[in-house]
Amino acid sequence: MKKNNHPVEVPDGLVCTARLPLSSATLNWLAGLIRGHLKKIRSRWRALPPGRIAALVLAVLRCDQRPGDLAGGNGIHRTTVTRWVREVVGLLAARAPRLDRALKKIARKGGGMVLLDGTLIRTRRRTGKENPKNYSGKSKCHGLLVIALTDDRGRLLWVSAARPGRTSEITACRHDQLTARLRAAGLGAIADLGFVGLDDSGPTPAPQ
């Protein structure tokens, strides 16, 4: 048997198309964000236009497509796709609403309640000392914990920073001082039984 050692991004490999479960409005919005960023930093050339870059980044973020596979189908290198993904993640993070602003916006609109919940985003098992931190005993898998707030209709208002999977939801909320900020904005919160005992009297160290 002949051994094939060619990398996945070579242009002579098998290429197939796939459908992303996303709207054209999402793609166009992200392409416009990339286009504005390129204009701001005065980048006159990229290997692909903003629309194609947006589609590749969404394929990685939404469908967990491998950058090397996407690179091979578009005649670019894997590291280029990885760099674009990191760049777009930074652009999206910069537009994320801050907690105090999100709560004040709800209060101005006459809202009195938000929905509070946490979720574990699964990741691959890491090596070395970082491995135990990301293992969640509750979910029995490796991942990163995020806390989310939505309005009473379930529309996303705010997402916390990602923390190691072994962090409890209450610890993460205490670190962000959620209850104090909710009271300052005159809002209450509805959460499941996993948040029983959440208050501001507990310790607020950064989760390790």
Side-chain angles (χ1 to χ4, degrees):
M1 179 181 295
K2 186 176 180 181
K3 194 173 183 179
N4 185 3
N5 293 321
H6 292 297
V8 293
E9 59 263 21
V10 295
D12 55 349
L14 179 63
V15 178
C16 63
T17 59
R19 180 182 179 185
L20 295 179
L22 297 166
S23 66
S24 58
T26 300
L27 177 64
N28 293 335
W29 181 85
L30 185 56
L33 183 63
I34 296 172
R35 194 175 293 110
H37 172 67
L38 297 180
K39 183 178 180 180
K40 181 178 180 180
I41 64 175
R42 298 182 180 180
S43 177
R44 298 183 178 181
W45 181 86
R46 289 289 172 97
L48 295 176
R52 293 276 297 280
I53 294 175
L56 294 179
V57 172
L58 289 172
V60 175
L61 297 180
R62 181 64 176 83
C63 301
D64 199 24
Q65 292 289 321
R66 295 195 309 170
D69 294 338
L70 296 172
N74 290 273
I76 54 179
H77 198 273
R78 175 184 56 80
T79 56
T80 301
V81 178
T82 302
R83 185 174 68 252
W84 287 344
V85 171
R86 291 176 179 174
E87 185 177 45
V88 170
V89 167
L91 294 175
L92 294 175
R95 295 180 63 88
R98 301 299 182 261
L99 177 57
D100 293 333
R101 294 178 183 177
L103 296 180
K104 290 178 180 179
K105 184 177 180 180
I106 290 295
R108 285 198 304 268
K109 292 183 177 181
M113 194 71 60
V114 296
L115 305 182
L116 168 65
D117 201 0
T119 186
L120 186 78
I121 302 174
R122 292 197 176 196
T123 62
R124 294 180 181 179
R125 179 176 179 177
R126 302 183 68 178
T127 58
K129 296 181 180 179
E130 297 299 324
N131 177 50
K133 296 181 180 181
N134 283 357
Y135 183 77
S136 169
K138 176 182 177 181
S139 302
K140 307 299 181 184
C141 65
H142 291 79
L144 297 173
L145 175 72
V146 295
I147 303 297
L149 292 179
T150 71
D151 62 14
D152 55 1
R153 296 185 179 182
R155 292 175 295 196
L156 186 63
L157 301 174
W158 173 81
V159 176
S160 72
R163 296 189 170 92
R166 72 179 184 185
T167 307
S168 70
E169 294 174 336
I170 288 182
T171 299
C173 289
R174 286 174 176 170
H175 178 64
D176 288 325
Q177 301 179 343
L178 271 181
T179 52
R181 295 185 178 187
L182 285 169
R183 280 197 288 266
L187 300 175
I190 298 177
D192 58 34
L193 295 178
F195 292 87
V196 172
L198 173 62
D199 55 36
D200 293 327
S201 61
T204 59
Q208 300 296 321

